[in-house]
């Protein structure tokens, strides 16, 4: 995730001509793209200004505006560039092998390589693309669709017995596994990472799927009494953050959604909008971490504990789809004093999941197990968001795919 040199070193490269004349480097646009991807990935689209990006490059904002007329233009170009990289990786990675599994493996290798190379911007594609204007969002959606179509076609050769909806669900799951590396900052050598993610995707590709549900599975939400304003505010705020993005929601919006007569009434329960967001994050983090102890204590071995945790994670994610997305998309807006605690809770939760995975699969390193845990989480969140209550991606199927991702 680190992009190049320090700011001071970059300045010496840019302005280090022997005659003392400061010359514009030939790869300035590439430098801008790399720096902006890192900045957007760390703080989100709304959390970064053109001045921030210019400062990271060691240039003036006026110089940056000579290349891009606005922050949106830079954001748009970077997301669509990565969309193009995805589609190109799918095209060039097919080497013409007559063996379907090998063609799929080559395709996965190309897609993983494109994701690793653009890890910072893939974060934006996953969680910030809703801020694209409709026409640009359509282009990005079409790029993503072309990747899924290519995966569908290869899977259809490998698994001709599967229906088109089943093929698309598996392709979506595989794409989620690969792009999950944008959801965290853990590191693995490129060859190890490619092998690990390819193996996980191929395990999904060869999986015998449980039957789809007979009917749609609606989320189970406990009705909150009007008198429980604290809980009602939290739920309505999360729904609004999910729908519009945290920066586009005001305290007034939250108060209105919760049926309060004035925004000032919110402050009887929370210090402000950021306090509500922090409460939502704590709720999500505690739900994952709090399930681990009872699962381990109440089961005979690590495999059984994982079965319980997988079922619980899928159920919670499907019941709280909005919260699952807000947890990943809005972390940069959590108050700084809360971030360290939340990161620590998440890190410890992932470590405990990874420990259980390694007890079942001792051939994995600790780092490899952590990557698979993140991949399994992403698979569930992506399928829950894309399919909603559609029975083709019912909870039993998603739990089965999560199990296969973790345990092969």
């Amino acid at each position: 995730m680190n992009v190049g040199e320090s700011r001071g070193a970059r300045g010496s490269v840019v302005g280090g001509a022997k005659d003392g004349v400061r010359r514009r480097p030939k790869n300035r646009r590439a430098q801008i793209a790399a720096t902006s991807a890192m900045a957007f990935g760390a703080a989100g689209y709304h959390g970064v200004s053109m001045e921030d990006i210019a400062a990271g490059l060691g240039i003036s904002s006026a110089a940056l505006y000579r290349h891009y007329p606005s922050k949106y233009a830079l954001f748009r170009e970077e997301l669509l560039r990565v969309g193009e990289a995805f589609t190109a990786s799918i095209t060039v990675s097919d080497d013409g092998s007559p063996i379907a599994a090998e063609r799929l493996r080559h395709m996965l290798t190309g897609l993983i390589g494109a994701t690793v190379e653009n890890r910072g911007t893939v974060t934006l594609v996953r969680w910030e693309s809703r801020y694209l204007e409709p026409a640009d969002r359509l282009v990005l959606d079409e790029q993503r669709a072309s990747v899924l179509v290519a995966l569908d076609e290869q899977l259809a050769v490998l698994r001709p017995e599967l229906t088109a909806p089943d093929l698309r669900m598996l392709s979506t799951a595989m794409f989620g596994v690969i792009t999950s590396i944008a959801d965290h900052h853990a590191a693995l050598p490129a060859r190890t990472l490619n092998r690990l993610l390819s193996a996980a995707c191929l395990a999904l590709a060869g999986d015998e799927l449980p039957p789809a549900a007979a009917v749609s599975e609606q989320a189970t939400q406990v009705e909150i009494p009007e008198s429980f304003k604290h809980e009602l505010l939290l739920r309505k705020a999360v729904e609004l953050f999910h729908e519009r993005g945290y920066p586009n929601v005001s305290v007034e919006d939250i108060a209105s959604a919760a049926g309060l007569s004035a925004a000032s009434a919110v402050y009887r329960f929370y210090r402000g909008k950021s306090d509500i967001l922090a409460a939502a994050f704590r709720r999500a983090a505690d739900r994952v971490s709090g399930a681990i102890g009872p699962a381990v204590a109440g089961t005979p071995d690590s495999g059984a504990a994982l079965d319980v945790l997988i079922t619980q994670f899928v159920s919670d994610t499907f019941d709280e789809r909005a919260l699952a997305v807000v947890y990943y998309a809005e972390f940069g807006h959590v108050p700084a004093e809360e971030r360290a605690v939340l990161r620590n809770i998440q890190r410890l939760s992932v470590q405990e999941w990874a420990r259980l995975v390694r007890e079942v699969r001792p051939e994995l390193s600790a780092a490899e197990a952590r990557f698979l845990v993140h991949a399994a989480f992403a698979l569930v969140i992506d399928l829950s968001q894309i399919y909603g209550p559609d029975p083709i991606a019912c909870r039993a199927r998603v739990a089965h795919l999560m199990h296969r991702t973790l345990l092969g």
Side-chain angles (χ1 to χ4, degrees):
M1 298 291 287
N2 183 22
V3 183
E5 308 145 289
S6 67
R7 181 177 170 186
R10 183 180 291 114
S12 66
V13 172
V14 172
K18 291 182 179 180
D19 57 7
V21 177
R22 188 180 182 90
R23 292 186 174 88
R24 185 182 305 167
K26 293 181 180 179
N27 65 338
R28 173 60 83 198
R29 288 182 73 87
Q31 287 184 346
I32 293 171
T35 301
S36 63
M38 183 172 64
F40 286 139
Y45 173 64
H46 287 282
V48 176
S49 67
M50 290 289 270
E51 289 71 22
D52 295 330
I53 296 169
L57 289 159
I59 64 175
S60 67
S61 55
L64 182 57
Y65 279 110
R66 285 199 292 269
H67 293 276
Y68 292 93
S70 66
K71 182 177 75 168
Y72 179 80
L74 179 54
F75 177 71
R76 171 192 178 277
E77 180 173 302
E78 186 62 10
L79 265 65
L80 298 188
R81 180 190 65 78
V82 170
E84 290 176 0
F86 281 153
T87 57
S89 72
I90 287 294
T91 302
V92 302
S93 60
D94 186 350
D95 68 346
S97 170
I99 304 173
E102 284 304 308
R103 290 203 303 273
L104 179 59
R105 188 185 299 275
H106 281 287
M107 187 172 286
L108 294 172
T109 295
L111 191 54
I112 292 167
T115 303
V116 171
E117 185 176 347
N118 298 283
R119 191 174 184 179
T121 305
V122 176
T123 301
L124 304 181
V125 172
R126 283 181 62 75
W127 306 115
E128 301 274 303
S129 59
R130 59 183 160 176
Y131 298 124
L132 287 172
E133 294 175 0
D136 296 329
R137 179 65 186 269
L138 180 61
V139 173
L140 185 65
D141 288 344
E142 289 172 347
Q143 291 170 333
R144 181 180 183 278
S146 69
V147 173
L148 296 178
V149 167
L151 290 172
D152 288 348
E153 291 172 350
Q154 293 301 323
L155 281 172
V157 177
L158 191 66
R159 303 287 304 281
E161 77 280 8
L162 294 180
T163 65
D166 283 351
L167 292 170
R168 176 52 55 91
M169 187 189 66
L170 286 178
S171 296
T172 303
M174 292 162 65
F175 195 45
V177 164
I178 292 170
T179 56
S180 68
I181 68 169
D183 296 345
H184 59 92
H185 302 292
L188 273 176
R191 184 174 297 181
T192 302
L193 178 59
N194 195 302
R195 174 185 54 76
L196 183 73
L197 295 183
S198 291
C201 288
L202 290 171
L204 295 177
D207 193 37
E208 293 300 324
L209 288 168
V215 296
S216 297
E217 295 181 336
Q218 299 299 324
T220 303
Q221 279 197 337
V222 177
E223 194 64 31
I224 300 175
E226 285 292 319
S227 58
F228 285 35
K229 291 299 183 184
H230 182 274
E231 281 294 314
L232 190 60
L233 281 167
L234 185 60
R235 175 178 292 181
K236 295 300 183 181
V238 167
E239 291 172 356
L240 290 172
F241 296 156
H242 177 246
E243 178 185 345
R244 305 179 192 174
Y246 176 84
N248 298 325
V249 176
S250 67
V251 174
E252 289 77 11
D253 295 331
I254 298 169
S256 176
L260 298 180
S261 58
S264 59
V266 173
Y267 299 106
R268 298 206 308 267
F269 307 95
Y270 296 97
R271 293 189 296 271
K273 187 175 74 165
S274 64
D275 194 39
I276 300 175
L277 182 65
F281 268 75
R282 288 193 296 271
R283 178 70 56 85
D286 290 344
R287 184 170 291 168
V288 175
S289 64
I292 297 171
V296 172
T299 54
D301 54 49
S302 297
L306 280 170
D307 288 341
V308 171
L309 288 173
I310 287 169
T311 299
Q312 186 67 48
F313 185 87
V314 172
S315 178
D316 288 344
T317 301
F318 274 65
D319 285 343
E320 298 284 355
R321 291 187 180 96
L323 180 58
V325 170
V326 168
Y327 185 78
Y328 281 90
E330 307 294 357
F331 189 79
H333 299 290
V334 173
E337 62 271 16
E338 296 277 354
R339 290 180 203 163
V341 174
L342 288 167
R343 281 197 184 100
N344 195 44
I345 293 173
Q346 184 194 52
R347 178 178 58 81
L348 292 174
S349 296
V350 170
Q351 282 182 351
E352 283 300 305
W353 275 71
R355 180 184 64 79
L356 295 172
V357 170
R358 290 188 72 205
E359 289 181 359
V360 180
R361 299 182 62 185
E363 75 277 8
L364 294 173
S365 70
E368 288 171 337
R370 289 195 297 272
F371 264 84
L372 289 180
V373 171
H374 285 294
F377 287 176
L379 176 152
V380 176
I381 292 167
D382 286 5
L383 291 177
S384 74
Q385 295 300 312
I386 293 167
Y387 285 92
D390 190 329
I392 200 70
C394 62
R395 299 179 191 214
R397 279 188 150 193
V398 174
H400 180 79
L401 293 176
M402 187 182 192
H403 189 280
R404 181 55 59 93
T405 300
L406 290 169
L407 301 182

